[in-house]
Coordinates of all heavy atoms in Angstrom, one line a residue:
K322 N -24.3 2.3 -3.8 CA -25.7 2.6 -3.4 C -26.6 1.6 -4.1 O -27.6 1.1 -3.4 CB -26.2 4.0 -3.8 CG -25.5 5.0 -2.8 CD -25.9 6.5 -3.2 CE -25.2 7.4 -2.2 NZ -25.3 8.8 -2.6
A323 N -26.4 1.2 -5.3 CA -27.2 0.2 -6.0 C -27.1 -1.2 -5.3 O -28.0 -1.9 -5.3 CB -26.8 0.1 -7.4
L324 N -25.9 -1.4 -4.7 CA -25.8 -2.6 -3.9 C -26.3 -2.6 -2.5 O -26.3 -3.6 -1.8 CB -24.2 -3.0 -3.9 CG -23.7 -3.9 -4.9 CD1 -24.1 -5.4 -4.7 CD2 -24.0 -3.5 -6.4
G325 N -26.8 -1.4 -2.1 CA -27.5 -1.3 -0.8 C -26.6 -0.9 0.3 O -26.8 -1.3 1.5
I326 N -25.6 -0.1 0.0 CA -24.7 0.2 1.1 C -25.4 1.1 2.3 O -25.0 1.0 3.5 CB -23.4 1.1 0.6 CG1 -22.3 1.1 1.7 CG2 -23.8 2.5 0.1 CD1 -21.0 1.6 1.2
E327 N -26.5 1.9 1.8 CA -27.0 2.7 2.9 C -27.8 1.8 3.9 O -27.8 2.0 5.1 CB -28.0 3.7 2.3 CG -27.2 4.9 1.7 CD -27.8 5.7 0.6 OE1 -28.5 5.1 -0.2 OE2 -27.5 6.9 0.5
T328 N -28.4 0.7 3.3 CA -29.1 -0.2 4.3 C -28.1 -0.9 5.2 O -28.3 -1.2 6.4 CB -29.9 -1.3 3.4 OG1 -30.6 -0.6 2.4 CG2 -30.8 -2.1 4.2
R329 N -27.0 -1.3 4.6 CA -25.9 -2.0 5.3 C -25.4 -1.1 6.4 O -25.1 -1.6 7.5 CB -24.8 -2.5 4.4 CG -23.7 -3.2 5.1 CD -24.1 -4.6 5.5 NE -23.1 -5.2 6.3 CZ -23.3 -5.7 7.5 NH1 -24.5 -5.7 8.1 NH2 -22.3 -6.3 8.2
A330 N -25.2 0.2 6.1 CA -24.7 1.2 7.1 C -25.7 1.4 8.2 O -25.3 1.4 9.4 CB -24.4 2.5 6.4
A331 N -27.0 1.3 7.9 CA -28.0 1.5 8.9 C -28.0 0.3 9.9 O -28.1 0.5 11.1 CB -29.4 1.7 8.3
A332 N -27.8 -0.9 9.3 CA -27.7 -2.1 10.1 C -26.5 -2.1 11.0 O -26.6 -2.4 12.2 CB -27.7 -3.3 9.2
L333 N -25.4 -1.7 10.5 CA -24.2 -1.6 11.3 C -24.3 -0.6 12.4 O -23.9 -0.8 13.6 CB -23.0 -1.3 10.5 CG -22.4 -2.4 9.6 CD1 -21.3 -1.9 8.6 CD2 -21.9 -3.6 10.4
R334 N -24.9 0.6 12.1 CA -25.1 1.6 13.1 C -26.0 1.1 14.2 O -25.8 1.4 15.4 CB -25.8 2.9 12.5 CG -24.7 3.8 11.9 CD -25.3 5.2 11.5 NE -26.3 5.0 10.5 CZ -26.2 5.4 9.2 NH1 -25.1 6.0 8.8 NH2 -27.1 5.2 8.3
K335 N -27.0 0.4 13.9 CA -28.0 -0.2 14.9 C -27.2 -1.2 15.8 O -27.5 -1.2 17.0 CB -29.1 -0.9 14.1 CG -30.4 -0.9 15.0 CD -31.6 -1.3 14.1 CE -32.7 -1.8 15.0 NZ -33.7 -2.6 14.3
A336 N -26.4 -2.0 15.2 CA -25.7 -3.1 15.9 C -24.6 -2.4 16.9 O -24.3 -3.0 17.9 CB -25.1 -4.1 15.0
Q337 N -24.1 -1.3 16.4 CA -22.9 -0.7 17.2 C -23.2 0.8 17.3 O -22.5 1.6 16.7 CB -21.6 -0.9 16.4 CG -21.3 -2.4 16.1 CD -20.2 -2.4 15.1 OE1 -20.5 -2.2 13.9 NE2 -19.0 -2.7 15.4
P338 N -24.2 1.2 18.2 CA -24.5 2.6 18.3 C -23.3 3.4 18.7 O -23.2 4.6 18.2 CB -25.5 2.6 19.4 CG -26.0 1.2 19.6 CD -24.9 0.3 19.1
D339 N -22.3 2.9 19.4 CA -21.2 3.7 19.8 C -20.3 4.0 18.6 O -19.5 5.0 18.6 CB -20.3 3.0 20.9 CG -20.0 1.6 20.4 OD1 -20.9 0.9 19.9 OD2 -18.8 1.2 20.6
K340 N -20.5 3.3 17.5 CA -19.7 3.6 16.3 C -20.4 4.3 15.2 O -20.0 4.4 14.0 CB -19.1 2.3 15.7 CG -18.3 1.5 16.7 CD -17.1 0.8 16.0 CE -16.2 0.2 17.0 NZ -16.3 -1.4 17.0
A341 N -21.7 4.7 15.5 CA -22.6 5.2 14.5 C -22.0 6.4 13.7 O -22.0 6.5 12.5 CB -23.9 5.7 15.1
E342 N -21.3 7.3 14.4 CA -20.7 8.5 13.7 C -19.6 8.1 12.8 O -19.5 8.6 11.7 CB -20.2 9.4 14.8 CG -21.0 10.6 15.1 CD -20.5 11.6 16.1 OE1 -19.2 12.0 16.0 OE2 -21.1 11.8 17.1
M343 N -18.8 7.2 13.2 CA -17.7 6.7 12.4 C -18.3 6.0 11.1 O -17.8 6.2 10.1 CB -16.8 5.7 13.2 CG -15.6 5.3 12.5 SD -14.7 4.0 13.4 CE -15.7 2.6 13.0
I344 N -19.3 5.2 11.3 CA -19.9 4.5 10.1 C -20.4 5.5 9.1 O -20.3 5.4 8.0 CB -21.0 3.5 10.6 CG1 -20.2 2.4 11.5 CG2 -21.8 2.9 9.5 CD1 -21.2 1.5 12.3
T345 N -21.1 6.5 9.7 CA -21.6 7.6 8.8 C -20.5 8.3 8.0 O -20.6 8.6 6.8 CB -22.4 8.6 9.6 OG1 -23.5 8.0 10.3 CG2 -23.0 9.8 8.7
R346 N -19.4 8.5 8.7 CA -18.2 9.2 8.1 C -17.6 8.2 6.9 O -17.3 8.7 5.9 CB -17.1 9.4 9.1 CG -17.1 10.8 9.6 CD -15.7 11.2 10.3 NE -15.1 10.2 11.1 CZ -15.4 10.0 12.4 NH1 -16.3 10.8 12.9 NH2 -14.8 9.0 13.1
Q347 N -17.6 7.0 7.3 CA -17.0 6.0 6.4 C -17.9 5.9 5.1 O -17.5 5.8 4.0 CB -16.9 4.6 7.0 CG -15.8 4.5 8.0 CD -15.9 3.3 8.9 OE1 -16.9 2.6 8.9 NE2 -14.8 3.0 9.6
L348 N -19.2 5.9 5.3 CA -20.2 5.8 4.3 C -20.0 7.0 3.3 O -20.0 6.9 2.1 CB -21.6 5.8 4.8 CG -22.7 5.9 3.8 CD1 -22.8 4.6 3.0 CD2 -24.1 6.1 4.5
A349 N -19.8 8.2 3.9 CA -19.5 9.4 3.1 C -18.3 9.3 2.3 O -18.3 9.7 1.1 CB -19.5 10.7 4.0
R350 N -17.2 8.8 2.9 CA -16.0 8.8 2.2 C -16.1 7.8 1.0 O -15.5 8.1 0.0 CB -15.0 8.2 3.2 CG -13.5 8.3 2.7 CD -12.5 8.1 3.8 NE -11.2 7.6 3.2 CZ -10.4 8.3 2.5 NH1 -10.7 9.6 2.3 NH2 -9.3 7.9 2.0
L351 N -16.8 6.8 1.2 CA -16.9 5.8 0.1 C -17.8 6.2 -1.0 O -17.7 5.8 -2.1 CB -17.4 4.4 0.7 CG -16.4 3.6 1.5 CD1 -17.1 2.4 2.0 CD2 -15.1 3.3 0.7
T352 N -18.9 7.1 -0.6 CA -20.0 7.3 -1.6 C -20.1 8.7 -2.1 O -20.7 9.0 -3.1 CB -21.3 6.8 -1.1 OG1 -21.6 7.6 0.1 CG2 -21.4 5.4 -0.8
A353 N -19.6 9.7 -1.3 CA -19.8 11.2 -1.6 C -19.1 11.5 -3.0 O -18.0 11.0 -3.3 CB -19.4 12.0 -0.5
P354 N -19.8 12.3 -3.8 CA -19.3 12.6 -5.1 C -17.9 13.3 -5.1 O -17.1 13.1 -6.0 CB -20.4 13.6 -5.7 CG -21.6 13.3 -5.0 CD -21.2 12.8 -3.6
D355 N -17.7 14.1 -4.0 CA -16.4 14.8 -3.9 C -15.4 13.9 -3.2 O -14.2 14.4 -3.0 CB -16.6 16.1 -3.3 CG -17.1 16.0 -1.8 OD1 -17.6 15.0 -1.5 OD2 -16.9 16.9 -1.0
Q356 N -15.7 12.8 -2.8 CA -14.7 11.8 -2.2 C -14.6 10.6 -3.1 O -14.8 10.7 -4.3 CB -15.2 11.5 -0.8 CG -15.3 12.8 0.1 CD -15.5 12.4 1.5 OE1 -14.7 11.7 2.1 NE2 -16.5 13.0 2.1
M357 N -14.2 9.5 -2.5 CA -14.0 8.3 -3.4 C -15.3 8.0 -4.2 O -15.2 7.4 -5.3 CB -13.8 7.0 -2.5 CG -12.4 6.9 -2.0 SD -12.2 5.4 -1.1 CE -10.5 5.5 -0.6
G358 N -16.5 8.3 -3.7 CA -17.7 8.0 -4.5 C -17.7 8.5 -5.8 O -18.3 7.9 -6.7

Side-chain angles (χ1 to χ4, degrees):
K322 284 180 182 170
L324 267 283
I326 194 168
E327 280 154 332
T328 311
R329 181 72 188 124
L333 285 175
R334 274 191 296 252
K335 205 168 161 200
Q337 304 161 286
D339 53 316
K340 300 214 173 109
E342 259 178 52
M343 188 185 78
I344 292 163
T345 301
R346 264 201 316 277
Q347 292 169 341
L348 175 67
R350 189 166 158 71
L351 290 177
T352 61
D355 62 340
Q356 302 189 52
M357 279 182 184

